[in-house]
Amino acid sequence: MHHFAYRRGASNRSVGYASVLHAEEVDLATLADKVGTPFYCYSTATLERHYAVFADAFADMPGTLVCYSVKANSNLGVLATLARQGSGMDIVSEGELRRAREVGVAPENIVFSGVGKTQAEMALALDAGIFAFNVESEPELHALSEVAAARGATARIAFRVNPDVDAKTHHKIATGKAENKFGVPFAEAQALYRLAHELPGIEASGVHMHIGSQITELDPFRNAFALLNELVRTLRAAGFAIDFVNLGGGLGVPYRSDQPAPPLPADYARLVHEAVGDLGVRLLFEPGRMIAGNAGILISRVLYVKRGASKTFTIVDAAMNDLMRPTLYEAYHEILPVAEPAPGTPVAITDVVGPVCETGDYLALARALPELHAGDLISVMTAGAYGAALASEYNSRPLAPEVLVNGSQYCVTRARPTYDDMLAVERLPDWL
Ligand code: LLP
């Protein structure tokens, strides 16, 4: 469910077209003229809806804390929108901590994940007074204990436990198998809680699990949460007080309309109830994609249509540096023409590619699309999560701007850097 839809266009550009794709009430053809292409566009109503649907699914479990996973989309406009809804945040770096604080998220609603937190980051997060650290290794535990003890503070922690379950997702975003770098081995968890108990500056009162991203079935969660339940019982039997569990993120979103939709948050919530509802613990979640994915699109303009020897290439002005997911994860993103095609418009099979000098630079391969021409605008759908967040300036292309829409209003929440900006951060050595 999202708020991008064809509507009768308000602008002159839409004359001759049945309708134009809108973000809420904003005509995207008009917006493209103002902002220039390519650009990301986010919908406030969609962000709010997704946050509410997720949070409401746990309304009957008091104390539940939803910590939006900042890495999915860290645009300040997006973060501020979610913060205003009451969202907490899951961070993985000093940069993300600063972003969360910048939009006014209360420190007690922040959790800190990641396998490689530095001691400087730990100190900053402790001083800010975040709720908890997700600790991923014994050396990290020692480092955190050292930092906390030195400042007379106590770090509340949950060990991220690796349950060795198959999340049935793309191998690059599966995190809960024994061979993945994440978490501590399930079999070693109890010994680590014992160690944590002995170390100064540590209060190990939670358990964390996050088994992967874009998970489209409930079974992997069920398997993981059953192990988590077992572990909490074992820890309690051994005398450790566990009062919160963090179930991570990972719930998938629908990228294509011709495939079965992933479970709804309500189905997921039912499963959570069944799996850990009897523990009497506070629940934390770290959803990223589920909140931001369908709330964003990437708008791009067709530069050329090139008829190759065996294929047609639609060359657009967005590229792999703007949206890396297709080439990095073989991800499918639906593509819609911004001007709704008239009935009977011929459909052609085409690769939608960017200007970057790599064969891997594509947004879609062998895609059936209404015939496109130079100057047409396209919208790459479901690009709100891990889109702009993964973008780079590869090929010295400035980062695409980000625009947040709210009803009939819009704001360029991140401007396109100028070429002067791009060059200004570099310097030549004295010897050149
Ligand atoms: N918590 C932890 C500890 C995580 O590592 C992640 C994502 C999340 C929560 C949020 O997961 P989500 O609800 O968004 O699935 N760039 C990849 C996805 C990487 C996910 C990284 N960790 C992609 O574009 O598919």
Side-chain angles (χ1 to χ4, degrees), residues 105-416:
V105 177
E108 62 270 22
N109 291 342
I110 295 177
V111 292
F112 196 166
S113 311
V115 295
K117 305 170 193 80
T118 65
Q119 283 189 311
E121 288 176 317
M122 291 170 178
L124 210 71
L126 269 174
D127 291 348
I130 67 163
F131 179 72
F133 294 81
N134 296 326
V135 172
E136 304 224 16
S137 64
E138 184 178 331
E140 184 195 340
L141 177 71
H142 285 290
L144 181 58
S145 165
E146 214 175 276
V147 174
R151 37 207 343 110
T154 300
R156 186 181 296 108
I157 72 156
F159 280 105
R160 174 172 180 175
V161 179
N162 184 323
D164 193 20
V165 301
D166 183 359
K168 299 202 184 125
T169 184
H170 190 275
H171 68 277
K172 285 187 186 156
I173 53 174
T175 56
K177 289 289 285 172
E179 66 262 30
N180 302 137
K181 70 177 176 181
F182 297 99
V184 301
F186 189 83
E188 292 167 27
Q190 198 177 334
L192 284 166
Y193 279 88
R194 187 165 307 115
L195 172 64
H197 202 66
E198 288 158 10
L199 289 179
I202 300 287
E203 176 201 309
S205 52
V207 178
H208 175 239
M209 252 183 209
H210 170 79
I211 58 170
S213 194
Q214 185 54 14
I215 300 171
T216 55
E217 302 167 42
L218 288 178
D219 272 347
F221 291 118
R222 187 175 288 115
N223 297 337
F225 298 164
L227 288 166
L228 181 139
N229 188 315
E230 182 190 316
L231 177 63
V232 171
R233 287 172 189 285
T234 310
L235 291 171
R236 283 177 170 168
F240 302 111
I242 299 295
D243 56 27
F244 74 97
V245 299
N246 181 337
L247 300 179
L251 193 56
V253 301
Y255 280 98
R256 38 194 314 174
S257 38
D258 60 349
Q259 283 187 356
L264 296 171
D267 301 327
Y268 173 76
R270 211 165 302 121
L271 163 70
V272 167
H273 243 288
E274 285 164 19
V276 299
D278 57 345
L279 290 176
V281 287
R282 180 182 197 197
L283 296 180
L284 272 68
F285 297 94
E286 302 168 342
R289 190 189 312 265
M290 193 272 147
I291 307 279
N294 267 315
I297 58 177
L298 173 64
I299 300 290
S300 176
R301 200 178 285 282
V302 177
L303 297 172
Y304 305 105
V305 176
K306 168 172 166 174
R307 310 220 180 268
S310 62
K311 275 181 161 184
T312 298
F313 299 98
T314 302
I315 303 168
V316 301
D317 62 5
M320 66 186 286
N321 70 297
D322 302 302
L323 181 63
M324 202 144 64
R325 303 196 69 261
T327 196
L328 193 55
Y329 313 111
E330 291 87 39
Y332 181 103
H333 286 262
E334 197 178 341
I335 293 181
L336 296 177
V338 168
E340 188 175 32
T345 304
V347 167
I349 306 291
T350 183
D351 285 3
V352 180
V353 302
V356 162
C357 300
E358 288 209 29
T359 299
D361 175 31
Y362 56 82
L363 300 178
L365 295 178
R367 188 66 61 84
L369 286 175
E371 253 177 15
L372 290 163
H373 306 279
D376 288 350
L377 291 167
I378 60 163
S379 171
V380 184
M381 308 304 288
T382 320
Y386 309 108
L390 265 74
S392 77
E393 286 187 339
Y394 185 40
N395 277 211
S396 289
R397 293 164 49 84
L399 292 179
E402 295 170 83
V403 180
L404 180 64
V405 163
N406 183 20
S408 59
Q409 310 175 76
Y410 75 88
C411 170
V412 180
T413 52
R414 183 187 177 121
R416 191 188 311 277

